[in-house]
Amino acid sequence: MTSPSSPSSPPSPPSPPDKSTATPDALGGGPRRRPRPVRRGGGRGAPLPLLLPALIGLAFLIVPLIALLVRTPWRSLPEQLTSAEVWQALQLSLICATAATGVSLVIGVPLAWLLARVEFPGRGLVRALVTLPLVLPPVVGGVALLMALGRGGIVGQWLDDWFGITLPFTTAGVIVAEAFVAMPFLVISVEGTLRAADPRYEEAATTLGASRFTAFRRVTLPLIAPGIAAGAVLAWARALGEFGATITFAGNFPGRTQTMPLAVYLALQSDPEAAIALSLVLLAVSIAVLAGLRDRWMTAG
Amino acid sequence: MSESHNAAAAPGSPGSEEGLDARLLVERGTFRLDVALRVAPGEVVALLGPNGAGKTTALRALAGLTPLSGGHMRLDGAELDRTPTESRPVGVVFQDYLLFPHLTALDNVAFGPRCHGATKAEARVRAAEWLDRMGLAEHAGAKPRRLSGGQAQRVALARALATGPRLLLLDEPLAALDARTRLEVRAQLRRHLADFEAVAVLVTHDPLDAMVLADRLVVVEDGRIVQEGGPSHIARHPRTDYIAQLVGLNLYQGRADGHTVRLDAGPHITTTEALTGPVFVAFPPSAVTLHRDRPTGSSARNLWHGRVTGLETHGDQIRADLTGELPLAADLTTVAAAELDLHPGSEVWATVKATQTHAYPV
């Protein structure tokens, strides 16, 4: 906003009379046509009714983060961060978010491929259903998961009867809840990349004797790797911050299902300093994710 | 297309029916492709036609990338109608090559052999041999985006040939190249096609590519074959306006009675050939002489009045398009054009000597 007009535009010298000014028409229009000094740097030209809300918006997003830094108990921070509970929660969060991302990759990438490459009736509806968890309140997702995979759920009761598998209120349940909320990010990202990728590379591979799966594995997958990576990072970040579905479906047991966001929420009521310290860790992770994405985008471009 | 000797091909007698025998029927909406092709091993056939004629659809059908609505396809006696693409002994050079961007030139060429069961090491050895044959040994480690157009084209050809296909398909193999590279690559491609012992079918809209590369041309318009034959025959005996334009001839259809051909459109042309019945008459634009006034002493038997509708440079010549009794194109030198003071709208007289016309039966 403070940038002066660009140095590459020197004050325009009075244009020397050229052939066109010889005609009376051009003479009359001459002075008006002289190029005005170009004004660069949008800040100076931005009208107040736009600039003011924009600055308020910026402050709105940044001030809370600054407040977090200002109120951080820096002196007791090392102690806070090395406490057993924090480590437990952080470890659990990282493991579950990574596992949820892994689950999303294994079933989400093929789903994205199906949506992008195979024509089938009702594809639009399926795509809408896939993206529903993006806008669904996570708590509702948690309730829905309970109805499906809970002990008495429509699928869960069979899991329990046949395999003795119980998901709710277990670490596996955390992974399921996080994957449910995070996978749509991955699917959307990968599907977009797949749509942009030329399907004729797959055709070229089949003319060389590759089955459709081989073509996908050896040609398409490497081609869309950047999109998969971006989607995985988004999904991972979403899973790491997941709260509503997790607490609904998996509960809040320290060491088993209490992830960082749950720990933050709980700590805020008993030990605000601990909550701030935990929040700081999550903020750091988020910034790291953003930096990682930016690096990838820069090298991809 | 159901010759009786097809039935004689007994199983286990290879060689009894070598080459390609196909009738490709593809219907998509209002578009209908119906093309019959017979190509012997070692022969190179070019499908030539305007954009949208169905050439690429025919090629894709041969590769199995577009399903047939009807007809059949046999290659060296084996039915391939329902064989999926990956199981057909086919190699394809795509229009923009479609080299896998994440693989080196070597691994692009090794991809096919790998899919056909070779180990990684074997596939690479074979790929290296092919690149060497294409004169690309030093580019083996390069990714496609580092290759020039001509190099990419040769890698694509090597990749298609590395699986030992019995049918090589080339889709506009030179279209992606600039004019200078094109000349060079065309000559190389011609050599490689001459060495190829199985069936080669290429698709192009460029008559020069077709005539240089192919032993036989199949001209496709609107999904149908309108003419086929050797390049020189087609160049001398065009049967449609499209081909006449491609080979640069004025073409007319009419009814011959001795040396006179009365055209369907009205005027008549005097020819050297004495024929009767429906005929084509063709003459090159360079055979036309233009005059500003009606010529009196000319020995030319063919004289028509017309008006210039367009002028454009054509090599070092000026091509004039005329309407009038006989719409035609005439080539003249820039000097002659200046002397005649030609411009669109000029009234001119055109003469053509009978000896420069060529008539042949429909």
Side-chain angles (χ1 to χ4, degrees), chain B residues 278-314:
Chain B
V279 292
F280 287 109
V281 185
F283 57 85
S286 58
V288 182
T289 313
L290 296 185
H291 315 265
R292 215 51 208 275
D293 303 304
R294 187 186 177 103
T296 46
S298 172
S299 62
R301 305 284 299 277
N302 294 310
L303 174 68
W304 305 288
H305 184 248
R307 184 157 23 83
V308 177
T309 55
L311 290 166
E312 61 183 79
T313 53
H314 203 263

Coordinates of all heavy atoms in Angstrom, one line a residue, chain B residues 278-314:
Chain B
P278 N -19.6 -39.5 -69.3 CA -19.2 -38.7 -68.2 C -17.7 -38.7 -67.9 O -17.1 -39.8 -67.9 CB -20.0 -39.3 -67.0 CG -20.8 -40.3 -67.5 CD -20.4 -40.7 -68.9
V279 N -17.2 -37.5 -67.8 CA -15.7 -37.4 -67.5 C -15.4 -36.3 -66.5 O -16.3 -35.4 -66.3 CB -14.9 -37.1 -68.8 CG1 -15.0 -38.2 -69.8 CG2 -15.5 -35.8 -69.4
F280 N -14.2 -36.4 -66.0 CA -13.6 -35.2 -65.3 C -12.6 -34.5 -66.2 O -12.0 -35.2 -67.1 CB -12.8 -35.7 -64.1 CG -13.7 -36.2 -62.9 CD1 -13.7 -37.5 -62.6 CD2 -14.4 -35.3 -62.2 CE1 -14.5 -38.0 -61.6 CE2 -15.2 -35.7 -61.1 CZ -15.2 -37.0 -60.8
V281 N -12.5 -33.2 -66.1 CA -11.5 -32.5 -66.8 C -10.7 -31.7 -65.8 O -11.3 -31.1 -64.9 CB -12.0 -31.5 -67.8 CG1 -10.9 -30.9 -68.6 CG2 -13.0 -32.2 -68.8
A282 N -9.4 -31.8 -65.9 CA -8.5 -31.0 -64.9 C -7.5 -30.3 -65.6 O -7.0 -30.8 -66.7 CB -7.9 -32.0 -63.9
F283 N -7.1 -29.1 -65.1 CA -5.9 -28.4 -65.6 C -5.4 -27.6 -64.5 O -6.1 -27.1 -63.6 CB -6.2 -27.6 -66.9 CG -7.3 -26.6 -66.7 CD1 -7.0 -25.3 -66.2 CD2 -8.6 -26.9 -67.1 CE1 -8.0 -24.4 -66.1 CE2 -9.6 -25.9 -67.0 CZ -9.3 -24.7 -66.4
P284 N -4.0 -27.4 -64.5 CA -3.4 -26.7 -63.4 C -3.6 -25.2 -63.6 O -3.7 -24.7 -64.8 CB -1.9 -27.0 -63.5 CG -1.7 -27.4 -64.9 CD -3.0 -28.0 -65.4
P285 N -3.6 -24.4 -62.5 CA -3.8 -23.0 -62.6 C -2.7 -22.3 -63.5 O -2.9 -21.3 -64.1 CB -3.7 -22.5 -61.2 CG -4.1 -23.7 -60.4 CD -3.6 -24.9 -61.1
S286 N -1.5 -23.0 -63.5 CA -0.4 -22.4 -64.3 C -0.7 -22.5 -65.8 O 0.0 -21.9 -66.6 CB 0.9 -23.1 -63.9 OG 0.8 -24.5 -64.2
A287 N -1.6 -23.3 -66.2 CA -1.9 -23.5 -67.6 C -2.8 -22.4 -68.1 O -3.1 -22.2 -69.3 CB -2.6 -24.8 -67.9
V288 N -3.3 -21.5 -67.2 CA -4.2 -20.5 -67.6 C -3.5 -19.2 -68.0 O -2.5 -18.9 -67.3 CB -5.2 -20.2 -66.5 CG1 -6.2 -19.1 -66.9 CG2 -5.9 -21.4 -66.0
T289 N -3.8 -18.6 -69.1 CA -3.3 -17.3 -69.4 C -4.4 -16.3 -69.4 O -5.5 -16.5 -69.8 CB -2.7 -17.3 -70.9 OG1 -1.9 -18.5 -71.0 CG2 -1.8 -16.1 -71.1
L290 N -4.1 -15.1 -68.7 CA -5.1 -14.1 -68.6 C -4.8 -12.9 -69.6 O -3.7 -12.6 -69.8 CB -5.2 -13.6 -67.2 CG -5.6 -14.6 -66.1 CD1 -5.7 -13.9 -64.7 CD2 -6.9 -15.3 -66.4
H291 N -5.9 -12.4 -70.1 CA -5.8 -11.2 -71.0 C -6.8 -10.2 -70.6 O -7.8 -10.5 -70.1 CB -6.1 -11.6 -72.4 CG -5.4 -12.9 -72.9 ND1 -4.2 -13.0 -73.5 CD2 -5.8 -14.2 -72.7 CE1 -3.9 -14.2 -73.7 NE2 -4.9 -15.0 -73.2
R292 N -6.4 -8.9 -70.8 CA -7.3 -7.8 -70.4 C -8.3 -7.6 -71.5 O -9.5 -7.3 -71.2 CB -6.5 -6.5 -70.2 CG -7.0 -5.6 -69.1 CD -7.2 -6.4 -67.8 NE -8.3 -5.9 -67.0 CZ -8.1 -5.0 -66.1 NH1 -7.0 -4.4 -65.9 NH2 -9.1 -4.6 -65.3
D293 N -7.9 -7.8 -72.8 CA -8.9 -7.7 -73.9 C -9.0 -9.1 -74.6 O -8.2 -9.9 -74.4 CB -8.3 -6.7 -75.0 CG -8.1 -5.4 -74.3 OD1 -9.0 -4.8 -73.7 OD2 -6.9 -4.9 -74.4
R294 N -10.1 -9.2 -75.3 CA -10.4 -10.5 -75.9 C -9.2 -10.8 -76.9 O -9.0 -10.1 -77.8 CB -11.7 -10.5 -76.6 CG -12.1 -11.8 -77.2 CD -13.3 -11.7 -78.0 NE -13.6 -13.1 -78.5 CZ -14.6 -13.9 -78.1 NH1 -15.3 -13.4 -77.1 NH2 -14.7 -15.1 -78.6
P295 N -8.5 -11.9 -76.7 CA -7.4 -12.2 -77.5 C -7.9 -12.6 -78.9 O -8.9 -13.3 -79.0 CB -6.7 -13.4 -76.9 CG -7.7 -14.0 -76.0 CD -8.7 -12.9 -75.6
T296 N -7.1 -12.1 -80.0 CA -7.6 -12.4 -81.3 C -6.7 -13.5 -82.0 O -7.2 -14.5 -82.5 CB -7.6 -11.2 -82.2 OG1 -6.4 -10.5 -81.9 CG2 -8.8 -10.3 -81.8
G297 N -5.4 -13.3 -81.8 CA -4.5 -14.3 -82.5 C -4.2 -15.5 -81.8 O -3.4 -16.3 -82.2
S298 N -4.8 -15.7 -80.6 CA -4.4 -16.9 -79.8 C -4.8 -18.2 -80.4 O -5.9 -18.3 -81.0 CB -5.0 -16.7 -78.4 OG -4.8 -17.9 -77.7
S299 N -3.9 -19.2 -80.2 CA -4.2 -20.5 -80.8 C -5.0 -21.3 -79.8 O -5.4 -22.4 -80.1 CB -2.9 -21.2 -81.1 OG -2.2 -21.4 -79.9
A300 N -5.2 -20.8 -78.6 CA -5.9 -21.5 -77.5 C -7.3 -21.8 -77.9 O -8.0 -20.8 -78.4 CB -5.8 -20.8 -76.2
R301 N -7.8 -23.0 -77.7 CA -9.1 -23.4 -78.1 C -10.1 -23.0 -77.0 O -11.3 -22.9 -77.3 CB -9.2 -24.9 -78.4 CG -8.2 -25.3 -79.4 CD -8.7 -24.9 -80.8 NE -10.0 -25.5 -81.2 CZ -10.1 -26.8 -81.6 NH1 -9.0 -27.5 -81.8 NH2 -11.3 -27.3 -81.9
N302 N -9.6 -22.8 -75.8 CA -10.5 -22.6 -74.7 C -10.4 -21.2 -74.3 O -9.3 -20.7 -73.9 CB -10.1 -23.5 -73.5 CG -10.3 -25.0 -73.8 OD1 -11.4 -25.3 -74.3 ND2 -9.3 -25.8 -73.7
L303 N -11.5 -20.4 -74.4 CA -11.5 -19.0 -74.1 C -12.7 -18.7 -73.3 O -13.9 -19.0 -73.7 CB -11.5 -18.2 -75.4 CG -11.6 -16.7 -75.3 CD1 -10.4 -16.1 -74.6 CD2 -11.8 -16.1 -76.7
W304 N -12.5 -18.1 -72.1 CA -13.7 -17.8 -71.3 C -13.6 -16.4 -70.7 O -12.5 -15.9 -70.5 CB -13.8 -18.8 -70.1 CG -13.9 -20.2 -70.5 CD1 -14.9 -20.8 -71.1 CD2 -12.8 -21.1 -70.4 NE1 -14.6 -22.1 -71.4 CE2 -13.3 -22.4 -70.9 CE3 -11.6 -21.1 -69.8 CZ2 -12.6 -23.5 -70.9 CZ3 -10.8 -22.3 -69.8 CH2 -11.3 -23.4 -70.4
H305 N -14.7 -15.8 -70.6 CA -14.7 -14.4 -70.0 C -15.0 -14.6 -68.5 O -15.7 -15.4 -68.1 CB -15.8 -13.6 -70.6 CG -15.9 -12.2 -70.1 ND1 -16.9 -11.7 -69.4 CD2 -15.0 -11.2 -70.3 CE1 -16.6 -10.4 -69.1 NE2 -15.4 -10.1 -69.6
G306 N -14.4 -13.7 -67.7 CA -14.6 -13.8 -66.2 C -14.2 -12.6 -65.5 O -13.7 -11.6 -66.1
R307 N -14.4 -12.6 -64.2 CA -14.1 -11.5 -63.4 C -13.2 -12.0 -62.2 O -13.5 -13.0 -61.6 CB -15.4 -10.8 -62.9 CG -15.1 -9.5 -62.1 CD -16.3 -8.5 -62.1 NE -17.6 -9.2 -62.3 CZ -18.3 -9.8 -61.4 NH1 -17.9 -9.8 -60.2 NH2 -19.5 -10.3 -61.7
V308 N -12.2 -11.2 -61.8 CA -11.3 -11.5 -60.7 C -12.1 -11.3 -59.4 O -12.6 -10.2 -59.2 CB -10.1 -10.7 -60.8 CG1 -9.2 -11.0 -59.5 CG2 -9.3 -10.9 -62.1
T309 N -12.1 -12.3 -58.6 CA -12.7 -12.2 -57.3 C -11.7 -12.1 -56.1 O -12.0 -11.5 -55.1 CB -13.7 -13.3 -56.9 OG1 -12.9 -14.6 -57.0 CG2 -14.8 -13.4 -57.9
G310 N -10.5 -12.6 -56.4 CA -9.5 -12.6 -55.3 C -8.1 -12.8 -55.9 O -8.0 -13.4 -56.9
L311 N -7.2 -12.2 -55.2 CA -5.8 -12.3 -55.6 C -5.0 -12.6 -54.4 O -5.2 -12.0 -53.3 CB -5.2 -11.0 -56.2 CG -5.8 -10.6 -57.6 CD1 -5.4 -9.1 -57.8 CD2 -5.2 -11.5 -58.7
E312 N -4.1 -13.6 -54.5 CA -3.2 -13.8 -53.3 C -1.9 -14.4 -53.8 O -1.8 -15.0 -54.9 CB -3.8 -14.8 -52.3 CG -4.1 -16.2 -52.9 CD -4.8 -17.0 -51.8 OE1 -6.0 -16.9 -51.6 OE2 -4.1 -17.9 -51.3
T313 N -0.8 -14.1 -53.0 CA 0.5 -14.6 -53.5 C 0.5 -16.1 -53.1 O 0.0 -16.6 -52.1 CB 1.6 -13.9 -52.7 OG1 1.4 -14.0 -51.3 CG2 1.8 -12.5 -53.2
H314 N 1.2 -16.9 -54.0 CA 1.2 -18.3 -53.9 C 2.6 -18.7 -54.3 O 2.9 -18.8 -55.5 CB 0.1 -18.8 -54.9 CG -0.3 -20.2 -54.6 ND1 0.2 -21.3 -55.1 CD2 -1.3 -20.6 -53.7 CE1 -0.5 -22.4 -54.6 NE2 -1.3 -22.0 -53.7

